[in-house]
Amino acid sequence: MRLGAVIRRMLSQLRIQTKLLFAFLALIAISAGAVSAIVYRNTVESMERRVEQSTEQAINQAYSFLSYKLNNIKDVSSMLFMHDELNDILNRGRYGLRLGDQIDDYNKILNILNSVQSGREIYRIRLYVDSTNIYAREKSTIFALGTVRNEPWYGEMLHNSDGIYCRSPYEDEYGRTGAKRNIISCVRPMRTEQFTGEVMGVLSLEILEETFRQIIEETQNTTTGKVYLADRTNRIISSTDEAGNGTVVPLVDLDSHIVIEKPIDGTSWKLIAHIPKSEIYAEVRQWSNELYLVLSVVIVVGILAAVAFSHGLTRRIKLLLQQIKMIESENWDSQTDVTTHDEIGVLQSHLNQMSENIRVMIQEKYKTETQKKAAELQALQAQINPHFLYNTLDLIHWMAMERGAREISEVAVQLSSFFRISLSQGRDIIPIADELEHVRTYLDIQNRRFGGNIRYTIDASPEALAFKTVKLVLQPIVENAVLHGIREKLGKSGEIAVRCRMHGDVIEFTVEDNGVGMTEEQMRRLADDSSGAGYGIKNVKEKLALYFGEEAAVSFERADPEGTRVRIRIPATDRDVRPDEQLYREANKRNQPSI
């Protein structure tokens, strides 16, 4: 407590200019340190992610190449393994054939092996056969099985469950030059019963190790990183360091290395990448030294600027205090010359205008309250109560009945039903029966309006009436049929057929008229929602898309012999569907009247 009191007492005795200077210096030091730490950390993390991502991309590409080559090798191995003639030759070769038969079998074996040795992945195929055969001493393509029975890899091959077993790399003579090359042999036993029975031969597909090494070298995107192709025991099959082949993948510290492993499907092999973080840090340190130099210059310049700024700021604050004292004395006419446009200059300008602003605010508040009351009154006056509307139409109906005006009474009832379905208590999803009743009411009213010249039929399958639809999708289509189809005919009369059918899980509405029809251009504009499509049609399509998405469809076609046929298809549903917000936003953007 004493130390805190001493510090507060010392600070209270300092001038504001000194306090500002100390504050600026502390802020500069803290900011520079924080920026350095954050930038360094983010840079290291960013570079680690970048190196890891680039390595993973290279590993994935190498994985694709290796998988492709190994699949080719497996295909060749499977072809020979399942080759009926080769299996027959190996099987009968165990029983001591005549010399002529053995020579024939030898030629057949060479033809079979040469027929499949066409890919670049396989440079040689060896076949180990029963030692009693004379061609087992050929020692170029065919070898005696007894020479390898005691090899370590032979026992591992027999216990292998992957179908094909790949040995560790070993040196062998390559071609006729006798040069030593590293070879990887993929072997599998040929049995009397294919997958079971006695071993009658061993098939060996030999691949140059450098084929895999070239693929692995393409993944090397760092200077000191290592990439290995290893088997299930972490024994190195191939790597960027050829001297390490056949040894175990070295263990590394996960805190100092980025380690990436990716198994190769269908094999017991995997790709392993070891990337030292020290290589990343070396690059970051070089970059951070430049950052520290820039920050040092910024700190020196900041200190000089802080000294100058604190001096100028305190001088102007004194002038500002004098201005405030005058305002406290209610001298609203007090003015101060504004010579700058910074925060203090803005504050001086605001103080100069404060008296007038207060008066303006009082006037605006009074005006706003008056307008608010007026708006509330107008809103109350503009409210329409649906019950009042229904009661009024009901009153018209009974007044017409009392005076014997039956047609007026019927129109009032129809209009009341039309409004009831249109409002639907604020619901957008209504039963199909209500939607069809809404169209029927609309056509009855229009038919009275046009002197009975509009004949119509409404037909719906009973099973469809149990489902629901978006309201007011048929009325705009029917209205177009009346106004732009039938009323534009020479006799201004015609027929409209409204049908509703179920097709599996889809409900189809059809509105067909025998009006003047449409041209190809008009149908094209309706199909692609161009400027001449009309607001009503566009609104129907957008509402359907809003609630049913791509499952809803609207199509237009010519009727036979004349007129127009419109089909609306929606999914059958008996529940209330909620609109899709994304489609709703898109619909709002497009929902601009075009006619």
Side-chain angles (χ1 to χ4, degrees), residues 357-409:
N357 287 346
I358 291 175
R359 290 193 297 268
V360 170
M361 288 176 61
I362 293 174
Q363 293 175 356
E364 288 182 351
K365 183 175 177 60
Y366 175 77
K367 182 178 179 180
T368 301
E369 290 295 330
T370 303
Q371 291 176 347
K372 181 180 178 181
K373 293 295 183 181
E376 291 176 352
L377 180 60
Q378 291 177 357
L380 290 173
Q381 293 173 345
Q383 289 180 349
I384 299 177
N385 190 330
H387 296 289
F388 176 75
L389 178 62
Y390 299 151
N391 293 337
T392 303
L393 291 173
D394 187 61
L395 176 62
I396 295 173
H397 161 66
W398 288 111
M399 291 177 64
M401 289 290 291
E402 290 178 356
R403 290 165 175 75
R406 184 177 57 84
E407 291 187 357
I408 295 176
S409 172

Side-chain angles (χ1 to χ4, degrees), residues 549-564:
E550 296 181 355
E551 297 184 74
V554 180
S555 61
F556 304 86
E557 56 189 64
R558 291 180 178 175
D560 187 23
E562 61 180 355
T564 303

Side-chain angles (χ1 to χ4, degrees), residues 44 47-52 54-55 219-228 240 250-260 272-285:
V44 170
M47 294 193 68
E48 286 184 2
R49 286 195 300 270
R50 186 185 66 186
V51 171
E52 187 171 355
S54 62
T55 303
T219 66
Q220 192 75 18
N221 56 4
T222 59
T223 305
T224 58
K226 300 292 183 183
V227 181
Y228 308 97
T240 52
L251 297 177
V252 295
D253 184 6
L254 296 180
D255 293 332
S256 61
H257 285 73
I258 297 175
V259 178
I260 300 174
I272 303 174
H274 292 170
I275 305 169
K277 293 183 180 180
S278 58
E279 183 175 344
I280 301 174
Y281 296 153
E283 184 177 350
V284 174
R285 280 194 294 270

Side-chain angles (χ1 to χ4, degrees), residues 18 24 33 107 165 172 180 190 196 209-210 225 264 288 332 339 417 439 498 523 540 560:
T18 306
F24 286 145
N107 291 325
Y165 172 78
D172 195 14
K180 296 290 186 178
M190 306 283 287
T196 59
E209 182 270 338
E210 65 184 36
I264 299 177
S288 61
W332 308 114
T339 58
S417 175
V439 171
V498 180
M523 288 190 178
V540 169
D560 187 23

Side-chain angles (χ1 to χ4, degrees), residues 293-452:
L293 178 60
V294 173
L295 287 176
S296 300
V297 174
V298 170
I299 290 174
V300 173
V301 174
I303 292 173
L304 297 176
V307 173
F309 178 76
S310 61
H311 175 73
L313 184 64
T314 53
R315 180 181 58 84
R316 294 162 59 202
I317 289 177
K318 293 178 181 178
L319 297 175
L320 191 60
L321 289 174
Q322 295 176 0
Q323 174 91 12
I324 292 174
K325 289 180 179 180
M326 296 182 68
I327 293 176
E328 287 179 349
S329 62
E330 298 184 0
N331 185 2
W332 308 114
D333 296 328
S334 174
Q335 297 290 321
T336 300
D337 293 335
V338 180
T339 58
T340 62
H341 298 284
D342 58 7
E343 286 79 0
I344 294 181
V346 172
L347 183 57
Q348 289 173 332
S349 177
H350 288 177
L351 286 172
N352 289 336
Q353 298 178 4
M354 190 164 58
S355 297
E356 182 178 356
N357 287 346
I358 291 175
R359 290 193 297 268
V360 170
M361 288 176 61
I362 293 174
Q363 293 175 356
E364 288 182 351
K365 183 175 177 60
Y366 175 77
K367 182 178 179 180
T368 301
E369 290 295 330
T370 303
Q371 291 176 347
K372 181 180 178 181
K373 293 295 183 181
E376 291 176 352
L377 180 60
Q378 291 177 357
L380 290 173
Q381 293 173 345
Q383 289 180 349
I384 299 177
N385 190 330
H387 296 289
F388 176 75
L389 178 62
Y390 299 151
N391 293 337
T392 303
L393 291 173
D394 187 61
L395 176 62
I396 295 173
H397 161 66
W398 288 111
M399 291 177 64
M401 289 290 291
E402 290 178 356
R403 290 165 175 75
R406 184 177 57 84
E407 291 187 357
I408 295 176
S409 172
E410 292 176 354
V411 170
V413 172
Q414 291 170 344
L415 187 59
S416 175
S417 175
F418 182 84
F419 282 133
R420 178 184 59 79
I421 299 175
S422 296
L423 295 174
S424 299
Q425 297 180 348
R427 293 180 287 109
D428 289 328
I429 303 298
I430 62 174
I432 290 178
D434 288 353
E435 179 71 8
L436 295 175
E437 179 62 25
H438 185 260
V439 171
R440 186 191 309 277
T441 303
Y442 172 79
L443 285 172
D444 283 341
I445 295 173
Q446 289 290 62
N447 200 28
R448 293 177 185 276
R449 174 187 174 189
F450 296 122

